[in-house]
Amino acid sequence: MRKLIDAPANQQTGDVIGKSQPHESAIRQVTGQARYVDDYVVPMGTYHAAVGLATDTRATLKGLDLEAVRQSPGVIDVITIDDIPGQRDIAPVFDGDPILVDGEIRFHGQPLFAVLADTHRHAQQAATKARVVSEPLPPCLSVSQAHEQQRFVRPLHRMERGDWQAGLESSQHIASAHLSIGGQEHMYLEGQVALAIPDEEDRLLIHTSSQHPSEVQKLVAEVLDVPLNKVVVDMRRMGGGFGGKETQAAQWACLAAVLARRNGRAVKLRLPRAQDMQATGKRHPFENGYTVGFDAQGLIQACHVDISGNCGISADLSDAIVDRAMFHADNGYYLGDCLVEGHRCQTNQVSHTAFRGFGGPQGMIMAEAMMDRIARTVQQDPLSVRKRNLYDADARSETHYGMPVGKPLLADLIEKLEHSSDYWQRREAITAFNQGSPVIKRGLALTPVKFGISFTAKHLNQAGALVHVYTDGSVQVNHGGTEMGQGLHTKIAQIAANELGIGTDGIEVTATRTDKVPNTSPTAASSGTDINGKAVQNACQQIRQRLAEFYAASVNGDADTVVFSQGRVQCNGKSTTFQDLVQQAYIGRVSLSASGFYKTPKIHYDRDTGKGRPFFYFAYGAACSEVQLDVLTGEYKVTRVDILHDVGNSINPAIDRGQIEGGFIQGMGWLTTEELRWNADGKLDSNNPATYKIPAIGDTPAIFNVDLYPRANDEDSIYHSKAVGEPPFMLAISVWCAIKDAIASTADYRHDPDLNTPATPEQVLWALKSLEEPS
Amino acid sequence: MISFTLNGKKQQVDADPAMPLLWALRDLLGLTGTKFGCGIAQCGACTVHLDGQAVRSCALPVSAISGKAITTIEGLNSDLGEALKAAWKAHNVPQCGYCQAGQLMNASAMLANNPNPSDAQIDANMQGNICRCGTYPRIKAALHDVIAQQPAEG
């Protein structure tokens, strides 16, 4: 018989769900011990790779002279597309993303070749020495050019309800506007990195900073032309992802894998920051327009929202991203008879990709743009118009894609925030202040968020887990989600602890590994806890059931009455510790390991009709933001923010608040200071943190009140919580509206200014100037 | 050979004098708590102490540290350092955690120089350490906690 080790002292436990447990890596993160891929101790003889980037925006590649690269000090190997043994296209969904330039250079910064050297520095030096012979072709650099040239990465999609044209014609008022919406650089502080370690024969282990280990596994296998079972991908944590490591991490892992295979050595590929910013996709810039018809009270009768995403060179995830923009063009409002159209424009830019919100923000801002315009037209406070147009429980309760909204929570949520933020008193005070202040103007706005939760690609709404209980009572949890700072592993540990009735100190959540849980979905769409939490719960419940049956039999009790709590197990008046039961169960030959599975119920969407229920539920929130703006310089400051946000039953309030605060700040950056600048030739000029400004500590609002809306999710989500990763990002639209409110004050709130985003001081000055001219 | 003090102990490193201190720390000395973020001294992830002052190790050649004292996150063990780390945990500051070594090193240098900074001074001092997760409200709250714990100065 195997000797069992002594169980450790009783593990602390209690009610772990709903408690603000610290991030599972907090100690490691503040002592410098938390390891990211670049921190791993690498195998002896590890080589380093670098990539050479194209400096044409669009050109035919006539010649690529790599002799000087090969002769550069320390160089071991150089590869181009022709050296890829298997599949050359690493596109995630639709074709169009060659791993290296394949005949035509299609965007500035596209990787041309990869070089391997003995050191990182030698590889970087060598990568600059290629001679490229190319014949320029005319690039397409904007959405308008793409429309002129009819260049699209995917077909147009429409969502339509009723006779919207007749609705517009019969409306009392009509307003139209165009809005240019900037993209956004992810600027994860840990850049793209991969470490490929060759194993026996054609097996390979990959460490990557990726939100989608299963896709990295698949693409590495395809590029190497080996079955998926030869490749293991391991991902412990990312130093930020935000969507920028959903598809964009695979290329570097694939290149490292090819070089590792060719040379029989471990290979690390880490991008320098400027290359990272040039060669990886960003949040899609959008060019959107609306025409809205409304009555004298400001109630929408009909509208047409025309959405054009700048997808860059390939489809990547753009179909789903533009869809999500379309799904959110209503935000929380009933659009009446309407047409929402979404164009997927192709340009010669890096292929734009997932970023927190996934197109949702670029759609949702159109609804808020309409609200402001309607309010100024009918001369009412924008908040009154917003409240009037909210979905209700009667005739105005279904979205433009046919999904019932369910209980209209926003009215209540807004009302609570209206009071807690003193909206109306501050509105009066601000109006009075502005009348007496010619240079400094204050602006105020309260805007809601309604965000659909689920992947709109239905098959991705599944998750797996693998839970092991060891004979000392300690538990190892593996699941398909990845930890990028959002606290997923912390919440997962709480869920496992709760299901097994032990403390989180008895739970170890391991690195995400494709050999533990296969065929996983990306950690994206805010779904990490929802789907992986349910899968972990499912696995834990299987083990708990086995233990309960075993224990009940030993005490002549009923398995259904066994209680697991506080590290103890009770039944029929008897009790024992979890550890003792586990040891007895092992001796009794009970399996202490289980795999769990979950698929999200109820969801469906028909692309042919543009109707369905693509989301399991909606997450809600609202923010009230105040700004102070200098009309002479266009500079402004966000002085106060009040947020009320719906996370259902919070599994971990501290983590949820962190997501809300951080999401808001990131959204504020997108709408205010973060300006992507491509020059006339299509080169990204804003390619480092000196030329691309994300929010810093001084940009944080001095008054920043965040509260959770205390209401359980109506749907059967994990403990009736709600997803929190993305929805708070869009709370920052209140800042954009508050800036417009301050600008509008200069013309006595009679006009709603056009204000493109990001609303840099230059844009603010243009908007101020537009109100000076007689209209 | 460059001699200096690293986290309180004598250290020598055989490196190109132009090598950034960050690489000497990470690649030659195995201290990976200090992070590479941008490589151009604009993000603050690589912040360490040089004779008690916060510096960006990605842009500081090792030749500049000869005979001087370097402290990294692994050696941030002063009472102040421990208080900061505890406050960071208590306020759930780290999300992805990648910038936090730099945040802590910069914060500890700031408070060592000025135990009671105003909000404006905190903003000015911490402005160069960017955090993409947006943990700034937590950083401020944690700093206020530590500042309140400091013994009052005469």
Side-chain angles (χ1 to χ4, degrees), chain A residues 305-318:
Chain A
V305 182
D306 191 63
I307 286 172
S308 291
N310 174 348
C311 302
I313 194 59
S314 68
D316 184 68
L317 302 173
S318 296

Side-chain angles (χ1 to χ4, degrees), chain A residues 389-405:
Chain A
N389 279 286
L390 291 173
Y391 284 107
D392 63 23
D394 303 317
R396 302 161 58 88
S397 62
E398 200 173 280
T399 65
H400 53 293
Y401 46 90
M403 175 168 168
V405 170

